[in-house]
Structures are given as structure tokens and as C-alpha cells.
Amino acid sequence: MKLIVAVVQDKDAPKCLGELVRRGFRATRLASTGGFLKEGNTTLLLGVDDEQVDTVLEVIGATCRAREQLVTPLTASGGAVDAYMPYPVEVLVGGATVFVLEVVKCVKT
Ligand code: 2BA
């Protein structure tokens, strides 16, 4: 068994989760926050059989897309890098960041 942890954009979460549940997967949706942008995103947890991992990855790939987002770089202290010219830069966010972990045991009581 594997635990799939997928960080997806909020905009993609309903479609992604909907398709996964429609296909019979069990999932948990967590509200999360990205460390870099400090904006909300969604973390999906799915416990699946080994042979289902590829299907889940396909669904995530088909429903989560990359988007460019403007962000103003901040210094470690939280201030703008250059107070006079805080140029926004574009970062490419998503489609999804996915971790696949081995599950030692899954217990339901
Ligand atoms: P954030 O940490 O808010 O990152 C949003 C986007 O900012 C990232 O998109 C990436 O394009 C950029 N970014 C992040 N850290 C950066 C850095 N140190 N320097 C330059 N650009 C940086 P994604 O890579 O698609 O990540 C989207 C979200 O997925 C992240 O939101 C974070 O919540 C999660 N994530 C990504 N990689 C992760 C990892 N290795 N471990 C845990 N969470 C991760």
C-alpha cells in the first residue's frame, strides 16, 4: 500500500478530488499553505494499493495545471529586497507536487 500526498492548487482541487472519488478512490482534503508564496493550497491524502498509484498520478496530471503567478521577493526579515524597486517576479506554480510513500500499516478501528 502507498500513501500519496499531493499538493495542488485550490483552483484545481475540486475537479481533481471529484474525479478521484468518482473513480472510487478514498481521499482526504487538507487546507494547506505554501511556504514560499504563503498562499492557500490544498493537500490531498490518498491511501491506495500499489497498482493504483499510476492511475492516481494520471488523474492528478489531467486535472491540475501549471499557472504563472507574480510574486514580490521579500528579504528574510520580511521587507522588500529593494525598497525603491521591488520588482515582482513570475513563478510557475503546479500542476501538482506529489509524494508517494510506503505504508507500513493501515488500521481502522
Ligand atoms: P509554495 O511553497 O508557496 O511555492 C509556490 C511556487 O513558488 C512553487 O511552485 C515554485 O514555483 C516556487 N518556489 C517555491 N520555493 C521556491 C524557492 N525557494 N525559490 C524559488 N521559487 C520557489 P511548485 O513547485 O509547483 O510548488 C507548489 C506548492 O507545493 C508549494 O507552494 C508547496 O506548498 C508545495 N511544495 C512544493 N515542493 C515541495 C516540497 N519539496 N516539499 C513540500 N511541499 C512542497
Side-chain angles (χ1 to χ4, degrees):
M1 189 179 197
K2 298 281 193 287
L3 177 67
I4 298 177
V5 180
V7 184
V8 309
Q9 294 177 68
D10 286 345
K11 286 177 184 166
D12 295 323
K15 191 172 177 187
C16 182
L17 188 58
E19 182 60 18
L20 289 166
V21 171
R22 190 186 71 75
R23 291 180 184 228
F25 291 104
R26 296 182 180 192
T28 297
R29 176 180 179 164
L30 305 175
S32 46
T33 303
F36 187 69
L37 295 181
K38 297 181 175 52
E39 290 185 1
N41 53 29
T42 296
T43 299
L44 300 177
L45 303 180
L46 297 106
V48 302
D49 292 333
D50 288 10
E51 59 271 21
Q52 295 176 315
V53 170
D54 287 344
T55 304
V56 172
L57 294 180
E58 279 168 24
V59 171
I60 291 172
T63 54
C64 299
R65 67 182 181 87
R67 297 179 180 84
E68 288 194 335
Q69 198 159 329
L70 281 176
V71 57
T72 303
L74 299 177
T75 62
S77 62
V81 170
D82 182 331
Y84 298 100
M85 291 184 198
Y87 292 116
V89 295
E90 275 185 352
V91 294
L92 192 63
V93 186
T97 301
V98 185
F99 305 90
V100 180
L101 293 79
E102 199 73 47
V103 173
V104 176
K105 193 184 279 188
C106 174
V107 180
K108 289 203 297 180
T109 58

XYZ file of all heavy atoms in Angstrom:
851
model
N 0.842 -1.198 0.000
C 0.000 0.000 0.000
C 0.876 1.246 0.000
O 1.975 1.237 0.556
C -0.891 -0.014 1.243
C -1.950 1.067 1.242
S -2.989 0.969 2.722
C -4.366 1.961 2.207
N 0.374 2.291 -0.622
C 1.110 3.551 -0.677
C 0.233 4.698 -0.147
O -1.000 4.649 -0.271
C 1.485 3.888 -2.126
C 2.415 2.862 -2.789
C 3.855 3.063 -2.349
C 4.824 2.290 -3.212
N 4.787 0.833 -2.967
N 0.897 5.695 0.414
C 0.207 6.941 0.759
C 0.660 8.000 -0.233
O 1.857 8.278 -0.358
C 0.549 7.393 2.185
C -0.072 8.736 2.586
C -1.604 8.617 2.676
C 0.475 9.219 3.927
N -0.310 8.559 -0.956
C 0.003 9.623 -1.911
C -0.337 10.960 -1.267
O -1.455 11.171 -0.790
C -0.793 9.438 -3.219
C -0.399 8.108 -3.866
C -0.544 10.598 -4.180
C -1.171 7.788 -5.126
N 0.651 11.821 -1.214
C 0.462 13.174 -0.682
C 0.632 14.124 -1.863
O 1.719 14.206 -2.444
C 1.511 13.496 0.409
C 1.302 14.908 0.946
C 1.458 12.470 1.532
N -0.431 14.809 -2.226
C -0.384 15.671 -3.407
C -0.743 17.105 -3.028
O -1.833 17.358 -2.505
C -1.349 15.160 -4.475
N 0.186 18.019 -3.279
C -0.092 19.440 -3.051
C -0.567 20.017 -4.386
O 0.177 20.001 -5.370
C 1.159 20.188 -2.560
C 0.809 21.643 -2.234
C 1.756 19.500 -1.336
N -1.804 20.476 -4.400
C -2.388 21.007 -5.638
C -2.892 22.424 -5.383
O -3.066 22.846 -4.235
C -3.542 20.109 -6.150
C -3.092 18.647 -6.226
C -4.768 20.221 -5.264
N -3.140 23.143 -6.457
C -3.678 24.488 -6.299
C -5.168 24.415 -5.940
O -5.887 23.530 -6.414
C -3.484 25.284 -7.584
C -2.023 25.552 -7.887
C -1.852 26.287 -9.203
O -2.221 27.437 -9.344
N -1.306 25.586 -10.184
N -5.612 25.366 -5.137
C -7.023 25.383 -4.717
C -7.961 25.325 -5.920
O -9.000 24.663 -5.873
C -7.311 26.659 -3.906
C -6.713 26.586 -2.503
O -6.338 25.479 -2.067
O -6.620 27.638 -1.852
N -7.577 26.013 -6.992
C -8.450 26.069 -8.177
C -8.639 24.698 -8.816
O -9.658 24.449 -9.454
C -7.856 27.016 -9.226
C -7.986 28.480 -8.885
C -7.299 29.324 -9.947
C -7.346 30.794 -9.552
N -6.435 31.616 -10.355
N -7.651 23.833 -8.672
C -7.721 22.517 -9.305
C -8.314 21.449 -8.392
O -8.687 20.367 -8.857
C -6.317 22.068 -9.726
C -5.723 22.956 -10.799
O -6.481 23.404 -11.675
O -4.504 23.197 -10.756
N -8.357 21.751 -7.099
C -8.724 20.708 -6.126
C -10.112 20.102 -6.356
O -10.248 18.867 -6.315
C -8.609 21.265 -4.711
N -11.159 20.910 -6.599
C -12.491 20.288 -6.743
C -12.556 19.299 -7.901
O -13.107 18.200 -7.758
C -13.417 21.496 -6.974
C -12.693 22.664 -6.387
C -11.233 22.387 -6.632
N -11.974 19.679 -9.033
C -12.013 18.798 -10.202
C -11.191 17.529 -9.948
O -11.624 16.411 -10.262
C -11.473 19.560 -11.419
C -11.703 18.871 -12.735
C -11.304 19.788 -13.873
C -11.449 19.080 -15.219
N -10.924 19.879 -16.321
N -10.016 17.718 -9.373
C -9.126 16.583 -9.109
C -9.763 15.613 -8.113
O -9.861 14.407 -8.365
C -7.795 17.116 -8.567
S -6.579 15.832 -8.251
N -10.239 16.160 -7.005
C -10.850 15.329 -5.966
C -12.120 14.669 -6.489
O -12.379 13.483 -6.228
C -11.149 16.187 -4.729
C -11.616 15.471 -3.481
C -10.604 14.447 -3.023
C -11.876 16.484 -2.369
N -12.906 15.425 -7.231
C -14.153 14.889 -7.786
C -13.891 13.686 -8.678
O -14.595 12.669 -8.598
N -12.879 13.807 -9.520
C -12.566 12.703 -10.439
C -12.031 11.487 -9.680
O -12.358 10.343 -10.009
C -11.559 13.194 -11.489
C -11.176 12.164 -12.532
C -12.359 11.655 -13.361
O -13.420 12.310 -13.383
O -12.228 10.578 -13.961
N -11.215 11.745 -8.665
C -10.673 10.629 -7.876
C -11.793 9.881 -7.144
O -11.833 8.652 -7.146
C -9.637 11.153 -6.872
C -8.313 11.630 -7.488
C -7.508 12.438 -6.469
C -7.495 10.439 -7.979
N -12.698 10.632 -6.548
C -13.797 9.995 -5.809
C -14.738 9.287 -6.782
O -15.233 8.185 -6.506
C -14.545 11.049 -4.955
C -15.819 10.462 -4.368
C -13.635 11.559 -3.834
N -14.965 9.913 -7.946
C -15.822 9.276 -8.955
C -15.258 7.910 -9.363
O -16.004 6.973 -9.636
C -15.923 10.198 -10.180
C -16.977 9.769 -11.197
C -16.941 10.612 -12.447
N -15.770 10.349 -13.274
C -15.614 9.273 -14.042
N -16.552 8.359 -14.090
N -14.520 9.108 -14.764
N -13.933 7.807 -9.349
C -13.296 6.533 -9.716
C -13.170 5.563 -8.549
O -12.557 4.509 -8.670
C -11.903 6.801 -10.289
C -11.933 7.489 -11.639
C -10.520 7.697 -12.118
N -10.476 8.434 -13.366
C -9.754 8.056 -14.417
N -9.042 6.956 -14.358
N -9.739 8.790 -15.511
N -13.693 5.978 -7.400
C -13.731 5.054 -6.270
C -12.579 5.165 -5.296
O -12.454 4.339 -4.386
N -11.726 6.170 -5.461
C -10.619 6.335 -4.513
C -11.108 7.049 -3.259
O -11.994 7.891 -3.320
C -9.478 7.150 -5.143
C -8.762 6.423 -6.237
C -8.976 6.742 -7.562
C -7.888 5.384 -5.936
C -8.326 6.055 -8.578
C -7.241 4.690 -6.935
C -7.460 5.031 -8.264
N -10.481 6.678 -2.143
C -10.773 7.376 -0.890
C -9.729 8.460 -0.704
O -8.535 8.210 -0.927
C -10.734 6.408 0.277
C -11.805 5.359 0.183
C -11.743 4.458 1.373
N -12.791 3.444 1.280
C -13.136 2.659 2.282
N -12.516 2.768 3.439
N -14.091 1.774 2.143
N -10.173 9.621 -0.290
C -9.228 10.737 -0.204
C -9.578 11.641 0.963
O -10.735 11.722 1.388
C -9.254 11.533 -1.509
N -8.561 12.314 1.458
C -8.754 13.351 2.478
C -8.196 14.648 1.948
O -7.094 14.683 1.385
C -8.015 12.968 3.788
O -8.590 11.779 4.306
C -8.135 14.075 4.823
N -8.982 15.703 2.105
C -8.568 17.025 1.618
C -8.174 17.893 2.812
O -8.960 18.081 3.740
C -9.728 17.671 0.849
C -9.443 19.069 0.385
C -10.630 19.658 -0.371
N -10.305 21.020 -0.764
C -10.959 21.713 -1.678
N -11.991 21.188 -2.294
N -10.603 22.942 -1.982
N -6.955 18.398 2.780
C -6.471 19.274 3.847
C -6.228 20.670 3.294
O -5.685 20.819 2.191
C -5.149 18.754 4.425
C -5.106 17.318 4.957
C -3.674 16.975 5.358
C -6.041 17.172 6.137
N -6.625 21.680 4.057
C -6.279 23.054 3.691
C -4.830 23.286 4.106
O -4.458 23.036 5.249
C -7.199 24.030 4.408
N -4.005 23.734 3.170
C -2.586 23.925 3.477
C -2.123 25.281 2.946
O -2.849 25.976 2.242
C -1.752 22.778 2.883
O -2.126 22.511 1.557
N -0.901 25.620 3.303
C -0.340 26.914 2.894
C 1.071 26.700 2.391
O 1.885 26.048 3.059
C -0.305 27.884 4.096
O -1.620 28.014 4.626
C 0.205 29.259 3.681
N 1.368 27.242 1.210
C 2.706 27.106 0.651
C 3.716 27.940 1.416
O 3.431 29.079 1.783
N 4.873 27.371 1.673
C 5.897 28.079 2.440
C 6.493 29.250 1.691
O 6.927 30.232 2.305
N 6.515 29.189 0.376
C 7.153 30.237 -0.419
C 6.182 31.397 -0.685
O 6.456 32.539 -0.337
C 7.664 29.644 -1.725
C 8.498 30.591 -2.555
C 9.753 30.977 -2.127
C 8.029 31.091 -3.752
C 10.526 31.847 -2.873
C 8.794 31.962 -4.521
C 10.048 32.342 -4.082
N 5.043 31.091 -1.280
C 4.069 32.144 -1.603
C 3.233 32.537 -0.391
O 2.608 33.586 -0.374
C 3.145 31.672 -2.720
C 3.790 31.427 -4.085
C 2.740 30.981 -5.095
C 4.489 32.681 -4.585
N 3.185 31.659 0.604
C 2.346 31.879 1.799
C 0.891 32.074 1.418
O 0.172 32.870 2.020
C 2.885 33.050 2.626
C 4.275 32.774 3.168
C 4.819 33.893 3.993
C 6.160 33.511 4.611
N 7.152 33.006 3.643
N 0.487 31.352 0.384
C -0.915 31.379 -0.037
C -1.515 29.989 0.128
O -0.798 28.985 0.155
C -1.010 31.816 -1.501
C -0.662 33.285 -1.680
C -0.858 33.764 -3.094
O -1.282 32.959 -3.949
O -0.588 34.947 -3.347
N -2.820 29.968 0.215
C -3.510 28.702 0.420
C -3.324 27.749 -0.749
O -3.326 28.169 -1.909
N -3.127 26.484 -0.428
C -3.219 25.446 -1.440
C -3.912 24.248 -0.777
O -4.393 24.348 0.354
C -1.866 25.107 -2.084
C -0.783 24.783 -1.090
O -1.053 24.284 -0.011
N 0.470 25.074 -1.440
N -3.992 23.180 -1.501
C -4.733 22.015 -0.997
C -3.825 20.800 -0.996
O -3.102 20.570 -1.971
C -5.955 21.741 -1.906
O -6.855 22.845 -1.822
C -6.688 20.475 -1.473
N -3.835 20.060 0.089
C -3.076 18.816 0.151
C -4.057 17.643 0.194
O -4.950 17.604 1.040
C -2.162 18.789 1.389
O -1.239 19.890 1.300
C -1.370 17.498 1.466
N -3.887 16.733 -0.756
C -4.741 15.553 -0.805
C -3.965 14.347 -0.278
O -2.789 14.157 -0.625
C -5.174 15.275 -2.252
C -5.961 16.388 -2.946
C -6.261 15.995 -4.388
C -7.252 16.702 -2.208
N -4.597 13.558 0.568
C -4.024 12.308 1.076
C -4.840 11.147 0.525
O -6.078 11.154 0.630
C -4.083 12.246 2.610
C -3.419 13.363 3.422
C -3.610 13.071 4.912
C -1.944 13.467 3.087
N -4.159 10.188 -0.075
C -4.867 9.008 -0.588
C -4.111 7.745 -0.217
O -2.919 7.623 -0.531
C -4.976 9.063 -2.118
C -5.763 10.214 -2.732
C -4.812 11.217 -3.349
C -6.740 9.705 -3.768
N -4.777 6.837 0.439
C -4.198 5.526 0.696
C -4.669 4.583 -0.400
O -5.883 4.382 -0.568
N -3.713 4.039 -1.166
C -4.097 3.227 -2.334
C -3.229 1.978 -2.434
O -2.119 1.924 -1.905
C -3.960 4.039 -3.658
C -4.818 5.287 -3.617
C -2.506 4.390 -3.954
N -3.759 0.987 -3.151
C -2.954 -0.198 -3.449
C -1.833 0.193 -4.415
O -1.980 1.130 -5.210
C -3.822 -1.286 -4.077
C -4.835 -1.838 -3.081
O -4.546 -1.775 -1.866
O -5.905 -2.305 -3.517
N -0.742 -0.558 -4.361
C 0.428 -0.230 -5.194
C 0.060 -0.061 -6.664
O 0.525 0.866 -7.327
C 1.488 -1.324 -5.069
C 2.171 -1.306 -3.713
O 1.695 -0.574 -2.814
O 3.167 -2.016 -3.533
N -0.799 -0.937 -7.174
C -1.094 -0.901 -8.605
C -2.026 0.262 -8.987
O -2.283 0.478 -10.170
C -1.685 -2.236 -9.078
C -2.961 -2.653 -8.386
C -2.704 -3.480 -7.126
O -1.589 -3.416 -6.569
O -3.638 -4.190 -6.699
N -2.533 0.983 -8.003
C -3.422 2.121 -8.297
C -2.670 3.448 -8.370
O -3.244 4.469 -8.764
C -4.499 2.218 -7.215
C -5.453 1.037 -7.184
C -6.439 1.148 -6.024
O -6.060 1.470 -4.898
N -7.704 0.893 -6.315
N -1.389 3.414 -8.008
C -0.637 4.677 -7.940
C -0.621 5.390 -9.292
O -0.874 6.600 -9.385
C 0.813 4.423 -7.446
C 1.666 5.667 -7.614
C 0.805 3.986 -5.993
N -0.357 4.656 -10.350
C -0.252 5.288 -11.665
C -1.570 5.933 -12.098
O -1.576 7.007 -12.702
C 0.195 4.267 -12.716
C 1.662 3.899 -12.554
O 2.386 4.634 -11.846
O 2.081 2.873 -13.124
N -2.681 5.289 -11.761
C -3.987 5.861 -12.116
C -4.200 7.181 -11.389
O -4.664 8.166 -11.980
C -5.120 4.873 -11.758
O -4.873 3.636 -12.409
C -6.473 5.421 -12.178
N -3.847 7.198 -10.109
C -3.997 8.439 -9.344
C -3.116 9.543 -9.938
O -3.546 10.689 -10.104
C -3.659 8.212 -7.855
C -3.620 9.532 -7.098
C -4.668 7.263 -7.220
N -1.890 9.183 -10.288
C -0.989 10.183 -10.875
C -1.542 10.698 -12.210
O -1.411 11.888 -12.528
C 0.409 9.593 -11.069
C 1.167 9.225 -9.785
C 2.543 8.661 -10.118
C 1.296 10.421 -8.854
N -2.164 9.815 -12.966
C -2.766 10.242 -14.244
C -3.899 11.237 -14.006
O -4.008 12.248 -14.699
C -3.312 9.028 -15.008
C -2.253 8.258 -15.766
C -2.779 6.920 -16.272
O -4.008 6.781 -16.444
O -1.952 6.011 -16.458
N -4.748 10.943 -13.033
C -5.866 11.845 -12.737
C -5.339 13.202 -12.273
O -5.809 14.255 -12.720
C -6.803 11.237 -11.657
C -7.832 12.265 -11.208
C -7.483 9.987 -12.197
N -4.340 13.168 -11.406
C -3.772 14.435 -10.917
C -3.169 15.209 -12.089
O -3.386 16.415 -12.237
C -2.711 14.162 -9.823
C -3.389 13.617 -8.565
C -1.936 15.432 -9.498
C -2.423 13.124 -7.501
N -2.455 14.505 -12.954
C -1.836 15.168 -14.102
C -2.851 15.763 -15.051
O -2.615 16.818 -15.656
N -3.992 15.102 -15.180
C -5.010 15.569 -16.125
C -5.863 16.704 -15.569
O -6.505 17.430 -16.335
C -5.904 14.394 -16.515
N -5.889 16.848 -14.257
C -6.808 17.837 -13.674
C -6.103 19.033 -13.031
O -6.768 20.007 -12.670
C -7.708 17.170 -12.598
O -6.863 16.510 -11.639
C -8.659 16.177 -13.233
N -4.794 18.957 -12.879
C -4.063 20.050 -12.224
C -3.109 20.684 -13.235
O -2.281 19.992 -13.818
C -3.269 19.528 -11.032
S -4.314 18.794 -9.761
N -3.242 21.975 -13.427
C -2.394 22.605 -14.433
C -1.481 23.663 -13.815
O -1.777 24.221 -12.743
C -3.236 23.199 -15.558
C -4.104 24.371 -15.185
C -4.908 24.814 -16.390
N -5.747 25.959 -16.107
C -5.339 27.217 -16.215
N -4.101 27.484 -16.565
N -6.172 28.213 -15.952
N -0.402 23.918 -14.516
C 0.559 24.927 -14.042
C 0.041 26.325 -14.378
O -0.608 26.535 -15.398
C 1.903 24.686 -14.707
N 0.316 27.250 -13.487
C -0.062 28.645 -13.711
C 1.096 29.538 -13.292
O 1.792 29.240 -12.324
C -1.292 29.027 -12.877
C -2.536 28.267 -13.218
C -3.695 28.687 -12.328
N -4.910 27.938 -12.659
C -5.206 26.732 -12.202
N -4.381 26.152 -11.371
N -6.319 26.120 -12.564
N 1.243 30.631 -14.012
C 2.271 31.594 -13.611
C 1.674 32.573 -12.614
O 0.526 32.998 -12.756
C 2.804 32.329 -14.838
C 3.677 31.421 -15.686
C 4.497 32.179 -16.699
O 4.086 33.281 -17.075
O 5.542 31.640 -17.106
N 2.456 32.883 -11.608
C 1.979 33.783 -10.573
C 3.045 34.833 -10.281
O 4.236 34.520 -10.199
C 1.690 32.969 -9.302
C 0.803 33.698 -8.348
C 0.118 32.728 -7.393
O -0.168 31.580 -7.763
N -0.133 33.180 -6.186
N 2.599 36.076 -10.132
C 3.540 37.149 -9.822
C 3.757 37.211 -8.326
O 2.820 37.144 -7.546
C 2.981 38.490 -10.308
C 3.119 38.790 -11.806
C 2.435 40.105 -12.132
C 4.578 38.831 -12.219
N 5.014 37.339 -7.926
C 5.309 37.439 -6.502
C 6.444 38.444 -6.315
O 7.375 38.507 -7.112
C 5.686 36.056 -5.921
C 6.861 35.452 -6.643
C 5.993 36.144 -4.436
N 6.329 39.256 -5.263
C 7.385 40.213 -4.956
C 8.339 39.592 -3.952
O 7.920 39.228 -2.853
C 6.788 41.504 -4.356
O 5.841 42.017 -5.278
C 7.881 42.533 -4.108
N 9.610 39.417 -4.323
C 10.566 38.783 -3.397
C 10.704 39.579 -2.112
O 10.741 40.812 -2.135
C 11.883 38.796 -4.176
C 11.505 39.064 -5.589
C 10.229 39.852 -5.563
N 10.764 38.863 -1.004
C 10.951 39.502 0.296
C 12.272 39.071 0.897
O 12.760 37.979 0.630
C 9.816 39.108 1.257
C 8.404 39.503 0.830
C 7.404 38.980 1.844
C 8.276 41.012 0.703
N 12.839 39.919 1.725
C 14.046 39.531 2.454
C 13.646 38.628 3.613
O 12.466 38.478 3.934
C 14.775 40.764 3.025
O 13.889 41.387 3.951
C 15.148 41.737 1.932
N 14.643 38.042 4.270
C 14.371 37.164 5.413
C 13.615 37.914 6.508
O 12.840 37.339 7.262
C 15.670 36.595 5.961
N 13.836 39.226 6.604
C 13.180 39.994 7.657
C 11.759 40.389 7.258
O 11.028 40.975 8.033
C 13.983 41.262 7.955
O 14.034 42.073 6.797
N 11.387 40.057 6.018
C 10.021 40.335 5.597
C 9.884 41.604 4.799
O 8.817 41.912 4.276
N 10.953 42.373 4.658
C 10.875 43.611 3.898
C 11.189 43.374 2.443
O 11.724 42.338 2.064
N 10.827 44.341 1.589
C 11.137 44.196 0.176
C 12.649 44.197 -0.017
O 13.388 44.852 0.723
C 10.516 45.355 -0.605
N 13.138 43.468 -1.014
C 14.572 43.377 -1.272
C 15.143 44.769 -1.526
O 16.179 45.141 -1.012
C 14.830 42.457 -2.480
C 16.298 42.542 -2.905
C 14.460 41.026 -2.133
N 14.462 45.527 -2.339
C 14.883 46.892 -2.637
C 13.657 47.780 -2.462
O 12.695 47.688 -3.219
C 15.415 46.958 -4.079
C 15.909 48.361 -4.416
O 15.382 49.343 -3.834
O 16.815 48.465 -5.256
N 13.681 48.643 -1.463
C 12.507 49.424 -1.123
C 12.062 50.309 -2.281
O 10.892 50.676 -2.380
C 12.796 50.278 0.109
N 12.988 50.645 -3.178
C 12.630 51.536 -4.281
C 12.156 50.776 -5.507
O 11.394 51.283 -6.298
C 13.835 52.416 -4.629
C 14.241 53.282 -3.475
C 15.307 52.935 -2.653
C 13.530 54.448 -3.177
C 15.669 53.711 -1.570
C 13.869 55.235 -2.093
C 14.942 54.862 -1.296
O 15.281 55.624 -0.209
N 12.668 49.581 -5.706
C 12.288 48.802 -6.886
C 11.987 47.348 -6.527
O 12.769 46.455 -6.803
C 13.425 48.829 -7.916
C 13.609 50.175 -8.542
S 14.889 50.054 -9.797
C 15.310 51.769 -9.985
N 10.882 47.104 -5.878
C 10.545 45.719 -5.525
C 9.926 45.008 -6.725
O 8.722 44.804 -6.788
C 9.538 45.891 -4.389
C 8.882 47.204 -4.675
C 9.875 48.059 -5.423
N 10.789 44.630 -7.692
C 10.263 44.024 -8.915
C 9.539 42.721 -8.622
O 10.131 41.821 -8.008
C 11.403 43.724 -9.896
C 12.060 44.940 -10.478
C 13.395 45.216 -10.214
C 11.342 45.797 -11.315
C 14.007 46.332 -10.748
C 11.955 46.914 -11.851
C 13.291 47.182 -11.573
O 13.889 48.286 -12.099
N 8.306 42.599 -9.103
C 7.658 41.288 -8.996
C 8.310 40.316 -9.967
O 8.779 40.717 -11.031
C 6.210 41.565 -9.412
C 6.071 43.026 -9.562
C 7.450 43.600 -9.743
N 8.391 39.081 -9.584
C 8.910 38.057 -10.488
C 7.829 36.994 -10.685
O 6.931 36.834 -9.855
C 10.192 37.386 -9.937
C 11.325 38.370 -9.843
C 9.920 36.762 -8.570
N 7.919 36.314 -11.819
C 6.932 35.278 -12.112
C 7.448 33.920 -11.640
O 8.606 33.577 -11.887
C 6.667 35.206 -13.615
C 5.629 36.197 -14.077
C 5.292 36.034 -15.544
O 5.962 35.261 -16.239
O 4.348 36.698 -15.985
N 6.623 33.176 -10.949
C 6.978 31.787 -10.619
C 5.915 30.873 -11.223
O 4.751 31.250 -11.350
C 7.070 31.525 -9.093
C 8.197 32.291 -8.480
C 5.757 31.832 -8.392
N 6.347 29.700 -11.628
C 5.433 28.723 -12.198
C 4.961 27.803 -11.075
O 5.772 27.111 -10.453
C 6.156 27.917 -13.279
C 5.277 27.050 -14.172
C 4.314 27.912 -14.986
C 6.150 26.215 -15.097
N 3.673 27.828 -10.805
C 3.122 27.026 -9.709
C 2.371 25.824 -10.283
O 1.531 25.972 -11.168
C 2.172 27.852 -8.828
C 1.735 27.029 -7.626
C 2.829 29.140 -8.379
N 2.683 24.664 -9.743
C 1.953 23.458 -10.151
C 2.424 22.923 -11.484
O 3.506 23.269 -11.910
N 1.602 22.080 -12.063
C 0.359 21.446 -11.690
C 0.255 20.904 -10.282
O -0.580 21.373 -9.508
N 1.072 19.934 -9.871
C 0.953 19.392 -8.534
C 2.313 18.870 -8.102
O 3.127 18.488 -8.927
C -0.065 18.250 -8.504
N 2.537 18.895 -6.786
C 3.743 18.278 -6.224
C 3.295 17.032 -5.476
O 2.492 17.133 -4.551
C 4.452 19.254 -5.262
O 4.801 20.436 -5.990
C 5.705 18.633 -4.680
N 3.779 15.893 -5.913
C 3.248 14.631 -5.400
C 4.356 13.796 -4.753
O 5.435 13.627 -5.327
C 2.610 13.805 -6.542
C 1.952 12.549 -5.980
C 1.580 14.647 -7.303
N 4.069 13.301 -3.569
C 4.968 12.386 -2.872
C 4.257 11.036 -2.759
O 3.070 10.993 -2.416
C 5.294 12.894 -1.463
C 5.865 14.295 -1.443
C 5.028 15.402 -1.347
C 7.234 14.511 -1.521
C 5.546 16.691 -1.333
C 7.755 15.789 -1.496
C 6.912 16.881 -1.410
N 4.987 9.966 -3.028
C 4.418 8.620 -2.877
C 5.217 7.906 -1.790
O 6.430 7.694 -1.943
C 4.482 7.828 -4.195
C 3.874 6.441 -4.003
C 3.747 8.584 -5.314
N 4.543 7.563 -0.700
C 5.224 6.978 0.466
C 4.765 5.535 0.682
O 3.591 5.199 0.460
C 4.897 7.775 1.734
C 5.420 9.204 1.862
C 4.570 10.180 1.072
C 5.385 9.614 3.323
N 5.693 4.736 1.158
C 5.357 3.357 1.522
C 4.534 3.366 2.808
O 4.863 4.106 3.743
C 6.668 2.588 1.747
C 6.529 1.102 1.695
C 6.304 0.601 0.276
O 7.037 1.029 -0.636
O 5.406 -0.220 0.116
N 3.476 2.573 2.843
C 2.665 2.467 4.059
C 3.031 1.166 4.782
O 2.924 0.078 4.205
C 1.157 2.476 3.724
C 0.323 2.203 4.973
C 0.773 3.813 3.103
N 3.469 1.271 6.007
C 3.840 0.081 6.780
C 2.579 -0.629 7.270
O 2.451 -1.841 7.211
C 4.746 0.467 7.972
C 5.056 -0.758 8.828
C 6.023 1.122 7.465
N 1.630 0.153 7.727
C 0.391 -0.438 8.245
C -0.740 0.573 8.124
O -0.532 1.775 8.301
C 0.586 -0.816 9.723
C -0.493 -1.709 10.278
C -0.292 -1.957 11.763
C 0.736 -3.026 12.042
N 0.782 -3.380 13.479
N -1.928 0.108 7.810
C -3.117 0.954 7.781
C -4.161 0.299 8.665
O -4.579 -0.832 8.405
C -3.624 1.103 6.345
S -5.185 1.993 6.234
N -4.568 0.981 9.713
C -5.505 0.402 10.677
C -6.743 1.275 10.781
O -6.645 2.506 10.870
C -4.842 0.295 12.084
C -5.808 -0.302 13.087
C -3.559 -0.508 12.005
N -7.895 0.638 10.733
C -9.143 1.368 11.007
C -9.773 0.731 12.241
O -9.930 -0.483 12.283
C -10.101 1.259 9.827
C -9.637 2.047 8.634
C -10.783 2.406 7.702
C -11.413 1.156 7.128
N -12.535 1.511 6.219
N -10.084 1.536 13.219
C -10.682 0.966 14.444
C -12.109 1.443 14.605
O -12.541 2.386 13.968
C -9.869 1.372 15.680
O -9.825 2.797 15.744
C -8.474 0.821 15.622
P 4.892 27.369 -2.286
O 5.935 26.961 -1.323
O 4.075 28.562 -1.943
O 5.626 27.564 -3.702
C 4.926 28.104 -4.815
C 5.828 28.133 -6.021
O 6.904 29.025 -5.779
C 6.474 26.787 -6.361
O 5.597 26.023 -7.170
C 7.740 27.201 -7.074
O 7.487 27.519 -8.440
C 8.108 28.498 -6.382
N 9.086 28.311 -5.321
C 8.936 27.639 -4.163
N 10.052 27.710 -3.412
C 10.922 28.437 -4.124
C 12.249 28.878 -3.874
N 12.916 28.564 -2.757
N 12.854 29.635 -4.845
C 12.209 29.961 -5.959
N 10.943 29.593 -6.244
C 10.320 28.831 -5.343
P 5.563 24.454 -7.004
O 6.943 23.905 -7.042
O 4.588 23.954 -8.016
O 5.008 24.164 -5.545
C 3.645 24.423 -5.188
C 3.431 24.137 -3.721
O 3.720 22.745 -3.480
C 4.363 24.879 -2.788
O 3.857 26.171 -2.516
C 4.390 23.986 -1.558
O 3.195 24.193 -0.801
C 4.318 22.594 -2.181
N 5.648 22.023 -2.349
C 6.421 22.088 -3.457
N 7.566 21.410 -3.285
C 7.522 20.912 -2.029
C 8.429 20.106 -1.261
N 9.614 19.688 -1.735
N 8.046 19.770 -0.003
C 6.870 20.179 0.496
N 5.963 20.945 -0.189
C 6.294 21.289 -1.430
